[in-house]
Amino acid sequence: MRTGICDMVAVARLINATLVIPELDKRSFWKDTSNFSDVFDETYFINALAHDVKVVKKLPKDISPATRVVKHFKSWSGLNYYQDEIAPMWEEYKVIRAAKSDSRLANNNLPPDIQKLRCRTCYEAIRFSPKIEAMGKLLVERMRFYGPYIALHLRFEKDVLAFSGCTHGLSKAEAEELRIIRENTAYWKVKDIDARQQRSKGYCPLTPKEVGIFLRALGYPQKTPIYIASGEIYGGDSHMAELRSRFPMLMSKEKLVSVEKLEPFNGHATQLAALDYIVSVESDIFIPTYSGNMARAVEGHRRFLGHRKTISPDRKSLVHLFDKMERGILKEGPKLSNRVIEIHKKLQGSPRRRRGPVSGTKGMDRFRSEESFYENPLPDCLCRRETTNLNAALVVR
């Protein structure tokens, strides 16, 4: 939602439009009824963007339905598309409704002022609602009580496993349940998935057991406080036992605050995810077990705030090691630890420019292979500080 909102702000600027406060998706897997103001600080958002884009809360009632149109903006589109194909639509229509907002704007090759507007929107204009900010702050304070902590974005929820087709470590009954969910979810286009192939390519989230092995191999002690940023873990305690045996200090929203304090957020997956987002951004170390939208957004936010440590597991390489362990060729210990540490030396959120497209890719695959603007907003979100030295210093805002 954050990245889609940012892109629509930039698109509004490109086509000289007034932006109506976005409607949040209420039809997805989670069936969340939250409105924009339930999740974000609406008034602050409008005021913060006042000098860039006019934002209004609702569409004026006097606009005729005949002058409205629904438009599917092309994915990863650039300046020419919006100015040559979309802007001329104002000659016929007064309202253009964007049917989708995800990845509608190119990651690269946009005017600097548009890229900087995306930065201001994402990291300054978008704030969570006061009640979410307050609860997020409380959760962070309570995690800090235990010392420096890891925020583990553990993507082992039912919807993630069903969508990805990943079944490693699950029973036949669990795998069949996930297959049925995938089959019955109309907007998930891919139905027939080879689970083994998915895993071997690194396309599956790490299992809780694999996460435990991974963290121990990196050298984290057993008493390390870990915040579990996730929804309901599929299979519950039966799948968490191996991770908990290695790291007993597993914390969650439900463990850190009372049932009464969490009650206003229950049943609202988006608001609960926002709490996880806050705790993850503020953590000493962030580790996502799957490269989904939230993981990429948190990593980018942490880069913006000064390259806070984010360890991105090389799932393809790790699966190769885990399979060796299952075959008895490799055991937990110094050899495994050295290998895991070596693999992840350069996967810890250190400063670097955003990666471009994979060589040889064309068309949409070329854009799809690029690193997301919001995963690594550098160098666009860097500001130049004037110094007495002849060389100006680049710093992160």
Side-chain angles (χ1 to χ4, degrees):
M1 288 179 178
R2 290 177 67 98
T3 59
I5 291 166
C6 293
D7 279 358
M8 290 303 103
V9 168
V11 168
R13 173 75 168 267
L14 284 173
I15 63 175
N16 194 28
T18 293
L19 179 69
V20 180
I21 285 290
E23 294 179 11
L24 304 186
D25 179 17
K26 296 179 173 63
R27 297 177 297 172
S28 66
F29 184 90
W30 304 280
K31 302 291 189 296
D32 189 351
T33 59
S34 298
N35 294 315
F36 188 96
S37 59
D38 296 319
V39 183
F40 304 106
D41 190 329
E42 188 174 82
T43 301
Y44 184 85
F45 178 75
I46 293 171
N47 293 336
L49 292 171
H51 297 295
D52 297 297
V53 172
K54 183 179 179 181
V55 182
V56 296
K57 292 186 178 182
K58 294 182 179 180
L59 193 67
K61 293 181 179 180
D62 59 350
I63 295 180
S64 167
T67 62
R68 306 179 190 183
V69 65
V70 176
K71 181 68 176 177
H72 286 259
F73 297 153
K74 291 181 181 178
S75 299
W76 298 295
S77 295
L79 179 67
N80 291 342
Y81 170 78
Y82 284 106
Q83 291 190 339
D84 298 344
E85 293 191 38
I86 303 302
M89 294 177 69
W90 292 133
E91 296 175 8
E92 187 174 355
Y93 302 102
K94 290 185 177 180
V95 178
I96 301 174
R97 181 183 177 90
K100 291 186 176 181
S101 64
D102 58 315
S103 304
R104 300 297 120 175
L105 195 58
N107 293 306
N108 303 301
N109 302 316
L110 289 170
D113 65 309
I114 295 299
Q115 297 290 59
K116 292 186 184 303
L117 175 57
R118 293 168 99 176
C119 301
R120 286 198 300 278
T121 305
C122 196
Y123 306 123
E124 294 181 6
I126 294 183
R127 283 185 183 176
F128 291 117
S129 64
K131 72 171 186 177
I132 289 177
E133 288 283 353
M135 178 57 70
K137 182 180 179 182
L138 178 62
L139 290 171
V140 171
E141 288 174 352
R142 295 197 172 174
M143 281 305 301
R144 290 266 179 249
F145 174 79
Y146 298 100
Y149 70 93
I150 293 173
L152 179 66
H153 192 217
L154 187 59
R155 298 314 313 271
F156 208 73
E157 301 113 328
K158 183 182 289 187
D159 63 303
V160 175
L161 297 175
F163 174 78
S164 62
C166 298
T167 60
H168 183 75
L170 302 181
S171 68
K172 288 184 179 180
E174 288 172 330
E176 178 62 12
E177 180 187 22
L178 297 177
R179 186 196 66 77
I180 293 172
I181 292 172
R182 184 168 64 253
E183 190 67 34
N184 293 337
T185 305
Y187 50 87
W188 290 352
K189 303 304 181 185
V190 182
K191 305 297 183 181
D192 188 17
I193 299 175
D194 186 324
R196 288 187 178 182
Q197 190 177 69
Q198 283 284 94
R199 184 169 178 270
S200 67
K201 290 181 178 180
Y203 295 164
C204 288
L206 298 180
T207 69
K209 177 182 177 179
E210 290 170 342
V211 171
I213 297 171
F214 174 59
L215 294 178
R216 289 300 292 270
L218 286 175
Y220 289 105
Q222 190 177 28
K223 293 183 179 180
T224 302
I226 299 176
Y227 177 84
I228 304 295
S230 76
E232 184 178 352
I233 299 299
Y234 187 53
D237 290 341
S238 64
H239 290 304
M240 289 295 288
E242 291 270 9
L243 175 57
R244 186 171 286 109
S245 68
R246 289 176 169 84
F247 295 93
M249 290 188 66
L250 298 182
M251 303 294 175
S252 63
K253 298 179 287 291
E254 294 76 13
K255 286 188 177 181
L256 292 170
V257 297
S258 66
V259 174
E260 291 75 20
K261 285 185 178 293
L262 272 183
E263 179 59 33
F265 306 97
N266 288 332
H268 300 288
T270 303
Q271 297 181 46
L272 292 169
L275 296 176
D276 286 342
Y277 185 98
I278 292 171
V279 182
S280 296
V281 167
E282 295 300 324
S283 65
D284 297 276
I285 301 165
F286 175 63
I287 302 178
T289 63
Y290 190 59
S291 55
N293 292 326
M294 178 164 158
R296 288 191 286 268
V298 170
E299 179 176 354
H301 203 151
R302 289 170 65 83
R303 285 183 180 278
F304 177 79
L305 293 172
H307 300 285
R308 296 175 178 178
K309 191 170 185 176
T310 297
I311 301 177
S312 302
D314 182 337
R315 296 189 302 280
K316 186 175 181 179
S317 296
L318 288 173
V319 163
H320 180 67
L321 296 176
F322 295 148
D323 285 347
K324 280 187 173 183
M325 292 178 67
E326 290 188 2
R327 296 195 302 269
I329 300 173
L330 185 64
K331 294 182 179 180
E332 287 190 70
K335 186 175 180 180
L336 174 66
S337 182
N338 291 338
R339 188 74 189 100
V340 169
I341 290 171
E342 181 62 32
I343 291 170
H344 293 87
K345 272 186 177 179
K346 295 183 179 180
L347 297 175
Q348 301 191 28
S350 57
R352 60 172 175 77
R353 284 181 173 268
R354 191 165 57 252
R355 289 190 298 268
V358 172
S359 178
T361 54
K362 297 180 180 180
M364 282 298 165
D365 286 338
R366 181 176 176 81
F367 292 115
R368 192 175 286 110
S369 70
E370 292 179 335
E371 186 173 27
S372 165
F373 177 89
Y374 300 103
E375 183 176 0
N376 184 4
L378 301 183
D380 312 272
C381 288
L382 286 173
C383 297
R384 186 174 295 276
R385 176 191 293 167
E386 295 298 329
T387 67
T388 53
N389 194 308
L390 293 177
N391 296 317
L394 288 177
V395 296
V396 177
R397 282 285 308 273

